[in-house]
Amino acid sequence: MKVYLAGPDVFLPDAAAMAAEKKRLCALYGLEGVFPTDPRPDPAADAAPDLWYAIYLRNEAHIRACDALVANLTPFRGPSADAGTVYELGFMRALGRPVLGYSNDDADFSTRTRRFLGDAARRDAEGEWVDGEGLSLESFGLTDNLMIDGGIRAADGMLVRRAVPAAQRWSDLTGFEACLKALATRNG
Amino acid sequence: MKVYLAGPDVFLPDAAAMAAEKKRLCALYGLEGVFPTDPRPDPAADAAPDLWYAIYLRNEAHIRACDALVANLTPFRGPSADAGTVYELGFMRALGRPVLGYSNDDADFSTRTRRFLGDAARRDAEGEWVDGEGLSLESFGLTDNLMIDGGIRAADGMLVRRAVPAAQRWSDLTGFEACLKALATRNG
């Protein structure tokens, strides 16, 4: 079973080392990890004129060629997960394959959004949290926007949320490994 | 042609008025707008036990029942678009249907991310922008993470980026209408 390893890990200074470690863990559970920066599964495809678009097409081809997706949903430069990772999660869910995820921050989405907004967060006349422009906050106690938690639930996946010290949040793979274990068990 | 109206518009204090206005514009172009909070297309479906999950299932059912998606990608609480919207964009792209988007902020993703990071943004030894933890920034001059721009390009869609004063960025529908026009033209 090929597993697409979605996440902002591609932005790490030591992304290659992270790719190797995630693949090593996959192998322990009988899975084959596919990192976004791996060579295209379809090398004969026409080259895209722009580097960024070539990367897009490669990632899309990888997702289509994989049987499942495990996403690093640790909040990235704001209250939510990395946008590219979220796009890929929705993409794989639409293909009807298993999606799982982990976050190395155990605060719920509403709490993180209020921290992000600071003094701009307030309660409206009905007592609901809103931002400085009056746009409401999701306050369901979820890990992220309900489309993320919902997609994983709809796919019968697993969403692991753990408290990890800030300095280790881009390197700790405990939640990642829990997802692999769940996937391997389900896979028989 | 039914068009799913993705965006953080659902969080607006006057979301119902925005839904009505977007649908009115759709009708001008011969399109039928579907707002996320519209009643389920499949009312006979079993009710979900949790409100948030019922909302997820409703949105997913709406997307599956639509022929195209137009996303409000205006940056939302951070450098990227709203996470739920991004999930839905990836979902619809995987279904192989047209996806289009607009952003009421004309700054590119790298510029917005550097503004967000403030003094933490720096150049590494190779001259590339990185954040305070050494994670790189995408600097392709795109609207958002390359998966977003790439998905719209792969779907032969349109991505409109406009400078709109901050006070109007949640109400200005010029970019939205440009997407509708492109969709109607393409639709014949």
Side-chain angles (χ1 to χ4, degrees), chain A residues 11 50 93 133 136 153, chain B residues 11 50 60 136 153 169:
Chain A
F11 302 125
D50 302 310
R93 164 62 191 152
E133 296 168 295
S136 65
R153 176 162 164 180
Chain B
F11 302 126
D50 303 309
E60 195 182 287
S136 64
R153 176 162 165 179
R169 76 182 191 285

Side-chain angles (χ1 to χ4, degrees), chain A residues 117 119-122 130-135 137, chain B residues 77:
Chain A
L117 294 170
D119 291 341
R122 58 184 172 83
V130 297
D131 65 19
E133 296 168 295
L135 279 77
L137 275 65
Chain B
R77 298 174 188 163

Side-chain angles (χ1 to χ4, degrees), chain B residues 129-180:
Chain B
W129 285 105
V130 296
D131 66 19
E133 297 169 293
L135 278 78
S136 64
L137 274 64
E138 284 190 5
S139 298
F140 296 110
L142 302 176
T143 297
D144 207 316
N145 182 291
L146 68 84
M147 297 307 293
I148 294 172
D149 291 59
I152 291 173
R153 176 162 165 179
D156 198 22
M158 172 183 252
L159 179 44
V160 184
R161 199 200 299 179
R162 293 180 68 248
V164 174
Q168 278 87 56
R169 76 182 191 285
W170 299 120
S171 56
D172 188 301
L173 294 176
T174 311
F176 173 71
E177 193 167 355
C179 290
L180 297 183

